[in-house]
Amino acid sequence: MKKTLISALICVPLFTGCVSTSDDAAATLDRNQAVSELTVKMDELGYSPVTIQPGVDEFLNMAAAILERQRNVIGEYRKQTENYTDVQAFLYSYRGATPEALQLAIDKFDAGAKTEDEKIGHKIDVYTKANENVYDQNIELTTTLALEIAESAYILSEHSTEVAKATAANLGGSVFGSLLSDEKEEDPKDLGNALLKAKDQLSLALEANDIIDLELATIDAVKQLQQEQEAKS
């Protein structure tokens, strides 16, 4: 699926080696900005159920429900982003690191800390526990999204004529673009636009899913590290 500027913002390169969380503030800000812009788009697109055509309504309303669920998950993620910007910057810098490499990075960072509050190790533990629910929900939605995206390909092909007409009416753009304009009102019974809207809803839900997924690999390394430490104690 085509990625937007949001995905590009998230994937900015960061420093490696000895990390200063203040140096990585810009990267964290980019991710915060990406989440903020994405939630605005989600809210503008909306989550309202529709009744247009039997056999299609279930798909349309599932797409809206998935977007609303992902909106709630990304909202929880955003709260943790605001509360733990230093932890996120650190973990993002070591994304993909093995538990051993991550432990060495934590030890090196904490050795240079002047106070206990500046140390990152204990903050990572708190952050990981605070985000467990967010990650669990995101993993669950990954499976649901994959199924609905596959369903969307079938539904869109089955109603290709209506979709083509709606696309042409929107000057080749998506219904999401037209919703940002005050030039015309959306017809609640317009199947073509409803299908394009559902496609955009799934696309935005996938982007939110991808944002959270960027940290999952490192969080998994943190969990593995914690398990190894518990086994040794």
Side-chain angles (χ1 to χ4, degrees):
M1 185 170 291
K2 184 179 179 181
K3 299 297 181 183
T4 66
L5 177 61
I6 291 179
S7 297
L9 276 172
I10 300 163
C11 296
V12 292
L14 298 182
F15 299 111
T16 56
C18 186
V19 177
S20 165
T21 52
S22 60
D23 289 341
D24 285 334
T28 305
L29 178 61
D30 281 346
R31 282 174 35 240
N32 290 348
Q33 179 183 344
V35 171
S36 177
E37 291 175 359
L38 185 56
T39 53
V40 168
K41 288 185 177 182
M42 287 176 161
D43 291 340
E44 288 177 335
L45 195 53
Y47 324 97
S48 300
V50 296
T51 304
I52 298 176
Q53 180 175 309
V56 181
D57 290 345
E58 183 179 355
F59 164 71
L60 297 175
N61 293 327
M62 177 61 77
I66 288 173
L67 182 64
E68 187 169 23
R69 284 178 61 194
Q70 193 71 72
R71 169 66 172 83
N72 293 334
V73 174
I74 201 73
E76 290 183 43
Y77 174 82
R78 186 179 182 184
K79 289 179 184 178
Q80 299 306 331
T81 300
E82 293 170 348
N83 292 334
Y84 299 97
T85 54
D86 54 346
V87 174
Q88 279 208 323
F90 184 92
L91 290 178
Y92 193 67
S93 295
Y94 289 97
R95 63 195 183 282
T98 64
E100 293 76 13
L102 183 61
Q103 183 62 62
L104 287 174
I106 292 171
D107 292 343
K108 186 175 183 179
F109 186 94
D110 286 354
K114 297 179 181 179
T115 67
E116 286 297 315
D117 288 340
E118 289 181 2
K119 292 184 177 181
I120 203 74
H122 68 93
K123 292 182 182 179
I124 290 176
D125 291 339
V126 175
Y127 174 77
T128 303
K129 292 176 182 177
N131 267 310
E132 283 182 354
N133 184 50
V134 171
Y135 296 131
D136 288 344
Q137 290 184 71
N138 201 58
I139 291 171
E140 180 182 339
L141 278 166
T142 299
T143 302
T144 306
L145 263 170
L147 293 173
E148 288 305 310
I149 288 171
E151 177 72 5
S152 73
Y154 172 76
I155 295 289
L156 290 169
S157 66
E158 283 288 293
H159 300 276
S160 57
T161 301
E162 291 87 347
V163 171
K165 288 179 180 178
T167 302
N170 288 311
L171 301 178
S174 69
V175 69
F176 175 65
S178 69
L179 288 177
L180 297 181
S181 172
D182 294 329
E183 294 179 1
K184 61 180 180 179
E185 293 292 329
E186 179 187 10
D187 182 354
K189 296 294 184 180
D190 186 334
L191 178 59
N193 270 332
L195 288 169
L196 287 178
K197 179 176 180 178
K199 181 181 177 183
D200 282 338
Q201 286 172 324
L202 293 176
S203 179
L204 292 185
L206 183 63
E207 288 197 26
N209 189 267
D210 287 346
I211 289 175
I212 299 172
D213 255 358
L214 287 173
E215 274 186 285
L216 273 178
T218 306
I219 291 297
D220 286 341
V222 171
K223 289 182 178 179
Q224 185 179 338
L225 178 60
Q226 292 169 340
Q227 290 171 354
E228 290 175 359
Q229 291 175 335
E230 290 172 0
K232 292 177 182 179
S233 61

